[in-house]
Amino acid sequence: MSSVLKTCVRASNQIAVLRQLVRTVFVSQRTPLPGNTLCRFRHIECKNVRRLHASVHRKFTPRRALLYVPGDDERKLSKAASLDVDCVVMDCEDGVALSRKVAARETISKILNSGTAKFGRSECAVRVNPVISMVTHEDLTVMLSGPSLPQCVVLPKVDTPGDIQIFSSELKSALQGKNIQDKLNLIIQTESAIGLLNVQAICEQATEISKDSPFTLEGIIFGSDDFCADIGATRTEGAEELIYARQKIVVVAKAYGIQAIDMVHINFKDLESLRNQSLQGARMGFTGKQVIHPAQVPVVQEAFLPSPEKLEWATQLIKAFEEHPKSDKGAFVFRGSMIDMPSLLQAKNIVELDKAVKESNSHM
């Protein structure tokens, strides 16, 4: 082979590697890859660059289990703080009767500001009532009235991008006059057919609005029971009727660099079924699951944590990939399998999750 031809081949290989590396950098940060990146580097859309910047600088917070606790029950709220759950959601919505909404707001505010509950490594979240209820502003005004704020707000039944606009306005009003050091994390809930159809537009709206609002979009929760009721589906043990909806939630969440939280397993006494459903969700790409009873927490959190064998595989694969360029070869084989960029991404996600959980545990 002539020297000129060798040079051309080497240059072609380098371009291919560069393309793969660009894709790896973007995808490994859970960020949508701008459509023009691989073909025309100079024409990356500004919108996608901003999204990339936000995702790269976002700290990953483990939310393998989100435990809902009725906001009007001070005893349960105080106990939840010691359960070693990734995220405690003090609920003012479905978990509280209409006649107890006022009590729930006041109790949650008391828990946040009295210092009686120490949440330790657990993320402290509150779930407000949906925008359509017309009481979201009251929830926010009371629960965020003191000096101590929750780390996260869960907004249920988000059906349109307009819901995000209203929420943003009401959140700004509730926080007016406060010196906010860090933005609140926002997790939205998709619970209806129209909400599922609009979920991409909702995430786009939330991403854009968050630039000038006191929140950062962190995740999407799939509300399966309200969704089933809305479409007239019958819940089954295998949840076949929800496959499309669950897959769409995962795809949209990952496209926007945020977390996807799977449905509740209502039969809290059947821990084996819970484990199987949790493992299924993890395989589908969900990062966590909603739970309604303390007994569900360890089962779910273990299911969404990489096994020691999987972690060892991921760590060694990354190490092998880093050593590979020194060999001046193309694709390579690792433990009998041909390794490509998706395999590398999967390995990096496994290591990142393990690292984030260990860092969270160190703050107990």
Side-chain angles (χ1 to χ4, degrees), residues 106 189 298:
E106 295 174 348
Q189 287 190 261

Side-chain angles (χ1 to χ4, degrees), residues 77-361:
L77 290 173
S78 298
K79 180 181 178 182
S82 62
L83 292 176
D84 189 31
V85 59
D86 285 351
C87 182
V88 175
V89 182
M90 296 186 285
D91 193 13
C92 198
E93 197 223 2
D94 283 348
V96 177
L98 183 61
S99 61
R100 296 285 297 170
K101 298 290 186 182
V102 173
R105 296 182 194 120
E106 295 174 348
T107 302
I108 291 173
S109 178
K110 178 182 177 181
I111 289 291
L112 286 171
N113 295 286
S114 66
T116 56
K118 303 296 183 181
F119 289 93
R121 75 168 193 86
S122 300
E123 181 182 39
C124 174
V126 298
R127 180 163 70 166
V128 298
N129 286 283
V131 169
I132 196 173
S133 71
M134 305 296 287
V135 297
T136 311
H137 186 262
E138 294 178 43
D139 292 341
L140 292 169
T141 300
V142 175
M143 291 190 287
L144 307 183
S145 61
S148 296
L149 301 177
Q151 296 161 285
C152 178
V153 176
V154 176
L155 181 63
K157 298 178 175 62
V158 181
D159 287 338
T160 69
D163 291 343
I164 297 296
Q165 291 180 312
I166 295 173
F167 169 78
S168 177
S169 176
E170 294 181 340
L171 181 62
K172 287 180 179 178
S173 175
L175 295 175
Q176 190 171 9
K178 290 183 177 291
N179 183 19
I180 306 299
Q181 299 296 323
D182 298 309
K183 289 189 175 186
L184 299 179
N185 297 324
L186 172 65
I187 300 178
I188 61 174
Q189 287 190 261
T190 299
E191 306 180 61
S192 67
I194 192 66
L196 187 68
L197 289 178
N198 289 332
V199 67
Q200 181 177 346
I202 290 168
C203 287
E204 187 65 37
Q205 181 74 286
T207 300
E208 289 298 310
I209 289 181
S210 66
K211 292 181 293 184
D212 301 312
S213 298
F215 71 81
T216 300
L217 182 63
E218 279 280 313
I220 309 173
I221 292 173
F222 178 47
S224 58
D225 293 300
D226 283 291
F227 181 81
C228 277
D230 190 51
I231 68 173
T234 300
R235 284 296 301 269
T236 62
E237 180 68 23
E240 294 87 357
E241 68 283 357
L242 296 172
I243 290 178
Y244 165 72
R246 293 168 78 195
Q247 287 178 330
K248 181 164 184 176
I249 293 293
V250 170
V251 170
V252 173
K254 299 308 173 72
Y256 282 84
I258 59 179
Q259 296 183 29
I261 312 300
D262 203 6
M263 58 191 184
V264 170
H265 189 277
I266 297 178
N267 187 356
F268 63 88
K269 294 183 178 180
D270 190 348
L271 299 183
E272 184 59 29
S273 178
L274 170 67
R275 179 179 180 276
N276 292 334
Q277 191 180 88
S278 299
L279 290 172
Q280 179 196 51
R283 289 192 297 268
M284 292 179 69
F286 284 98
T287 53
K289 189 174 185 65
Q290 304 164 83
V291 297
I292 55 175
H293 192 277
Q296 295 180 314
V297 172
V299 176
V300 170
Q301 293 193 161
E302 182 181 0
F304 282 92
L305 186 67
S307 66
E309 295 77 16
K310 198 69 174 178
L311 180 60
E312 188 273 338
W313 169 86
T315 303
Q316 293 304 315
L317 188 152
I318 294 172
K319 181 179 179 181
F321 176 82
E322 292 172 347
E323 292 290 329
H324 175 64
K326 300 176 183 178
S327 66
D328 198 27
K329 296 180 180 179
F332 71 103
V333 175
F334 176 74
R335 296 182 180 176
S337 299
M338 189 68 71
I339 299 303
D340 53 11
M341 289 302 112
S343 298
L344 178 65
L345 171 59
Q346 181 185 18
K348 288 185 174 181
N349 287 341
I350 290 171
V351 172
E352 179 185 11
L353 173 59
D354 181 74
K355 179 181 178 182
V357 171
K358 287 179 179 176
E359 288 179 352
S360 177
N361 287 337

Side-chain angles (χ1 to χ4, degrees), residues 59-80:
K59 179 182 178 182
F60 181 79
T61 301
R63 298 184 182 93
R64 294 167 297 164
L66 281 79
L67 174 65
Y68 293 113
V69 185
D72 60 338
D73 194 323
E74 187 172 352
R75 182 187 64 82
K76 289 183 179 179
L77 290 173
S78 298
K79 180 181 178 182

